[in-house]
C-alpha cells in the first residue's frame, strides 16, 4: 500500500507540474522599433546536401505580457525603451506564413513566471496549427514524465506584433546553457546538435557530409583552438565507437536509450534534420555525453511501427541496437519494463487534465471545436494503443543489420528463418555474429 501511494503521489506531482501551464492563455505584445518586423532570407543547401534554412536579423522590440487585466512583464525600462529584440527562427518552418520567432532579452527574466532561478534571456515563440501545437506540449510533457535532464516548459499565448494579430503561439524555453534553469554544463563542456544544416555554421564536427555536430555552447566564435580540437576528437571518436562497439566509453547509455524509447512511444517519423541535442558537462574523463531533450514533434504519431531512428543511415541507433555487448539494448528494454505503467498513466492523465483545462477551452474557441477535437482525439487514440503495441513488440526491437548480405537465421535445431526471433542465431558467411536476446 505504501509503495502504491508513493507511486500515486509521484504521478500527481508530475501532472501538477504540467498543469501549471493550463490555467490561462497569456497575451504577448511585441512592439518593435519603427513598427518593423524581422524579415528573413531563404538559404538553399549547397549541392548534394539537404535542407533549407533562413537568415534573419534581430529587430529591437518591447515585450509585454498580459494575463487578463494584469501586466505580468514588460521589457521596457526608463533608460531602455525596448529591452529586447526578436527575429524569425527555424529552418523549413520559417518559410511559411505563420512564422516562429526567437526573443532575446537584455536582462534575464522568467517569462513563464515560476521562480527567479528560471530566468534566462532567450525564449522561443513556436507557431503551427492546433495539431502541431498539441503535439508539441505532449512531447514536452513526455520529456518531463520520462525524466530528461531538462524539460522545456511552455505556455500558450495570443501574439500581437505591432498591433497585428498573429494568432495562437507557444511561448517556451530554448535548449541552451543555463546551469540553474536549463542545460547544466560548465565552461569546459559543450551542448551540441546533430544537424543537417551544419553547412550554414562556422564550425562543425562529423564523419558524414550529410549531417554533423554543431554547437549551441560554446558558440564557434568563442571557441579556442584547444576546445575545437577536444570537441572534434571526442565526437568523432564517439561516432567511430558505434561500429567498434566501445560506445559506452563515450556516452551515458541510459540517456541515449531513453531518447530513442521516447521517440518510439511518440511514434516520431522524423529521422533527419536538426533538433537532436547532446551535452557533456565538462572535459573530464568521468563526464560522458548525454542525449536530450526531445524537441520537434511535428511528425508525432506517424510511425506505426518502430520510429524511423531505428533504421536511419544518418544516425547511429541501428549500430547501438545491434552491438554484441547488448548494453544499449538492455538499457532500452529495462527503461521500458521498469516504467511502462508510469508512462501510460501520466501521459493519459495529462491529456485528461488538459481536456478539462481553461487553456483547452481557449484553443477550441480560437481554432474551432472541430479542429481542436480532431487534434485531441488523434493524441488520445494514439496513446490508447501505443503502449500495448510496444509491450507486444519489445522483443523484436533489435535491428537486423541491413548491410549484411547472405545472412540467414537458424534456431537451435538448425532450421533456417528469413527473420530473426528472440531464439534464433544470425550467421553471416559462416560466422556466428550475435544471438538476439530474450
Amino acid at each position: 500500500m505504501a509503495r502504491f501511494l508513493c507511486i500515486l503521489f509521484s504521478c500527481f506531482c508530475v501532472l501538477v507540474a504540467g498543469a501549471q501551464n493550463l490555467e490561462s492563455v497569456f497575451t504577448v505584445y511585441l512592439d518593435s522599433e519603427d513598427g518593423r518586423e524581422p524579415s528573413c532570407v531563404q538559404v538553399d543547401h549547397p549541392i548534394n546536401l539537404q535542407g533549407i534554412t533562413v537568415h534573419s536579423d534581430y529587430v529591437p522590440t518591447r515585450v509585454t505580457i498580459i494575463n487578463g487585466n494584469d501586466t505580468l512583464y514588460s521589457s521596457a525600462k526608463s533608460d531602455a525603451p525596448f529591452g529586447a529584440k526578436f527575429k524569425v527562427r527555424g529552418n523549413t518552418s520559417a518559410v511559411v506564413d505563420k512564422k516562429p520567432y526567437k526573443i532575446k532579452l537584455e536582462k534575464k527574466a522568467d517569462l513563464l513566471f515560476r521562480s527567479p532561478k528560471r530566468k534566462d534571456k532567450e525564449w522561443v515563440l513556436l507557431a503551427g496549427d492546433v495539431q502541431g501545437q498539441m503535439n508539441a506540449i505532449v512531447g514536452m510533457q513526455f520529456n518531463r514524465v520520462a525524466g530528461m535532464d531538462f524539460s522545456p516548459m511552455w505556455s500558450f499565448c495570443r501574439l500581437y506584433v505591432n498591433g497585428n494579430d498573429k494568432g495562437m503561439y507557444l511561448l517556451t524555453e530554448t535548449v541552451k546553457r543555463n546551469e540553474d534553469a536549463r542545460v547544466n554544463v560548465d565552461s569546459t563542456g559543450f551542448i551540441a546538435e546533430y544537424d543537417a544544416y551544419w553547412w550554414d555554421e562556422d564550425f562543425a564536427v562529423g564523419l558524414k557530409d550529410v549531417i554533423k555536430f554543431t554547437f549551441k555552447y560554446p558558440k564557434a566564435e568563442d571557441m579556442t583552438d584547444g576546445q575545437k580540437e577536444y570537441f572534434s576528437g571526442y565526437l568523432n571518436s564517439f561516432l567511430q565507437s558505434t561500429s567498434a562497439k566501445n560506445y559506452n566509453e563515450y556516452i551515458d547509455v541510459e540517456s541515449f536509450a531513453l531518447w530513442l524509447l521516447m521517440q518510439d512511444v511518440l511514434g516520431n517519423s522524423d529521422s533527419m534534420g536538426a533538433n537532436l541535442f547532446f551535452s557533456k558537462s565538462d572535459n573530464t574523463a568521468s563526464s560522458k555525453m548525454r542525449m536530450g531533450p526531445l524537441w520537434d514533434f511535428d511528425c508525432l504519431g506517424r510511425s506505426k511501427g518502430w520510429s524511423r531512428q531505428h533504421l536511419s543511415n544518418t544516425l547511429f541507433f541501428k549500430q547501438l541496437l545491434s552491438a554484441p555487448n547488448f548494453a544499449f539494448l538492455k538499457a532500452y528494454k529495462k527503461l521500458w519494463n521498469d516504467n511502462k505503467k508510469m508512462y501510460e498513466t501520466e501521459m493519459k492523465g495529462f491529456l485528461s487534465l488538459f481536456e478539462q483545462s481553461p487553456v483547452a477551452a481557449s484553443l477550441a474557441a480560437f481554432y474551432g471545436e472541430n479542429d481542436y477535437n480532431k487534434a485531441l482525439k488523434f493524441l488520445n487514440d494514439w496513446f490508447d494503443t501505443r503502449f500495448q503495441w510496444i509491450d507486444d513488440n519489445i522483443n523484436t526491437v533489435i535491428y537486423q543489420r541491413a548491410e549484411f548480405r547472405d545472412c540467414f537465421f537458424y534456431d537451435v535445431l538448425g532450421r533456417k528463418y528469413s527473420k530473426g526471433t528472440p531464439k534464433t542465431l544470425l550467421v553471416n558467411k559462416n560466422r556466428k555474429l550475435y544471438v538476439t536476446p530474450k
Side-chain angles (χ1 to χ4, degrees):
M1 175 62 76
R3 184 174 182 274
F4 172 77
L5 291 174
C6 182
I7 293 173
L8 186 64
F9 179 73
S10 174
C11 293
F12 174 77
C13 288
V14 174
L15 289 174
V16 168
Q20 67 178 299
N21 304 301
L22 304 181
E23 292 305 311
S24 59
V25 173
F26 297 154
T27 304
V28 176
Y29 295 94
L30 302 179
D31 296 299
S32 62
E33 187 176 36
D34 301 326
R36 286 194 299 130
E37 292 191 21
S39 59
C40 62
V41 177
Q42 179 177 318
V43 180
D44 293 317
H45 63 82
I47 190 168
N48 295 327
L49 295 178
Q50 298 189 34
I52 58 171
T53 187
V54 301
H55 289 176
S56 178
D57 293 328
Y58 277 111
V59 171
T61 190
R62 182 183 303 110
V63 181
T64 308
I65 301 178
I66 293 175
N67 186 23
N69 295 320
D70 300 324
T71 299
L72 303 180
Y73 172 81
S74 175
S75 65
K77 307 296 179 186
S78 57
D79 58 341
F82 295 102
K85 55 187 178 180
F86 78 125
K87 68 176 183 178
V88 177
R89 73 173 295 276
N91 298 305
T92 53
S93 62
V95 300
V96 299
D97 290 338
K98 189 178 181 182
K99 300 186 183 304
Y101 298 102
K102 181 177 181 180
I103 298 172
K104 191 166 186 178
L105 308 176
E106 291 182 5
K107 185 177 180 181
K108 289 183 179 182
D110 178 18
L111 299 189
L112 299 179
F113 312 106
R114 296 156 298 174
S115 75
K117 288 187 176 181
R118 304 305 296 264
K119 291 181 178 181
D120 201 275
K121 290 184 177 181
E122 294 185 10
W123 300 85
V124 167
L125 287 160
L126 296 178
D129 60 11
V130 63
Q131 186 69 71
Q133 291 175 345
M134 290 284 287
N135 288 357
I137 66 169
V138 164
M140 286 188 273
Q141 178 68 13
F142 194 36
N143 266 284
R144 192 168 304 110
V145 165
M148 275 285 171
D149 295 338
F150 164 58
S151 300
M153 295 289 283
W154 48 267
S155 179
F156 279 98
C157 66
R158 190 74 172 267
L159 177 65
Y160 291 83
V161 178
N162 299 317
N164 298 315
D165 186 357
K166 298 292 186 178
M168 194 72 71
Y169 276 71
L170 271 174
L171 175 64
T172 187
E173 298 172 292
T174 60
V175 179
K176 61 162 291 190
R177 183 196 182 208
N178 183 320
E179 293 172 304
D180 294 321
R182 299 188 186 176
V183 183
N184 183 8
V185 301
D186 74 13
S187 59
T188 67
F190 63 77
I191 303 169
E193 180 178 5
Y194 211 30
D195 189 0
Y197 304 94
W198 63 268
W199 43 264
D200 197 40
E201 299 290 338
D202 294 331
F203 177 66
V205 174
L207 302 178
K208 298 179 180 180
D209 283 341
V210 69
I211 191 166
K212 295 180 185 289
F213 288 99
T214 60
F215 294 86
K216 310 289 287 186
Y217 175 84
K219 297 292 187 184
E221 61 267 25
D222 299 325
M223 290 182 193
T224 65
D225 290 342
Q227 283 178 310
K228 289 182 178 180
E229 182 179 358
Y230 172 66
F231 298 158
S232 297
Y234 191 93
L235 291 168
N236 283 332
S237 294
F238 156 65
L239 292 173
Q240 292 167 337
S241 77
T242 62
S243 296
K245 310 311 178 192
N246 61 331
Y247 57 87
N248 48 350
E249 295 177 14
Y250 297 94
I251 66 171
D252 178 87
V253 173
E254 184 173 293
S255 75
F256 276 62
L258 178 60
W259 189 93
L260 183 63
L261 178 60
M262 292 167 69
Q263 298 281 13
D264 286 327
V265 171
L266 296 173
N268 192 356
S269 68
D270 188 355
S271 61
M272 186 55 185
N275 303 312
L276 286 79
F277 296 108
F278 306 79
S279 63
K280 191 174 187 295
S281 61
D282 55 54
N283 63 0
T284 64
S286 60
S287 167
K288 294 185 178 182
M289 186 164 67
R290 300 177 65 83
M291 195 167 185
L294 249 63
W295 189 273
D296 192 352
F297 306 98
D298 291 342
C299 297
L300 184 155
R302 295 186 189 178
S303 285
K304 306 306 180 184
W306 300 110
S307 62
R308 286 180 59 190
Q309 288 82 2
H310 285 250
L311 299 176
S312 170
N313 288 321
T314 62
L315 302 181
F316 33 73
F317 286 107
K318 65 180 183 180
Q319 290 93 339
L320 296 177
L321 284 165
S322 62
N325 66 6
F326 299 131
F328 183 87
L329 188 60
K330 287 177 180 177
Y332 177 97
K333 290 186 175 183
K334 187 176 189 320
L335 281 166
W336 173 252
N337 289 324
D338 288 352
N339 299 290
K340 56 187 177 183
K341 292 297 184 185
M342 182 266 288
Y343 295 157
E344 182 174 11
T345 298
E346 293 192 2
M347 292 310 296
K348 288 184 176 180
F350 172 74
L351 283 173
S352 179
L353 276 177
F354 184 88
E355 187 175 2
Q356 301 168 48
S357 72
V359 165
S362 297
L363 286 185
F366 179 80
Y367 286 110
E369 291 279 352
N370 287 341
D371 286 347
Y372 164 75
N373 288 333
K374 181 180 178 182
L376 183 64
K377 184 178 185 303
F378 173 82
L379 292 168
N380 275 314
D381 288 349
W382 177 258
F383 287 122
D384 280 344
T385 59
R386 189 60 173 176
F387 296 102
Q388 188 61 54
W389 185 91
I390 293 179
D391 209 40
D392 290 343
N393 290 275
I394 191 70
N395 285 324
T396 71
V397 70
I398 192 164
Y399 169 71
Q400 311 300 351
R401 293 165 63 172
E403 66 267 32
F404 290 158
R405 295 295 181 264
D406 303 315
C407 295
F408 301 99
F409 294 91
Y410 297 88
D411 68 11
V412 292
L413 298 178
R415 291 174 297 193
K416 186 186 293 187
Y417 291 85
S418 61
K419 294 183 179 180
T421 75
K423 295 182 180 180
T424 56
L425 180 71
L426 173 62
V427 178
N428 176 239
K429 296 180 181 178
N430 296 318
R431 289 191 304 116
K432 297 177 181 179
L433 296 176
Y434 60 82
V435 178
T436 55
K438 297 180 180 180

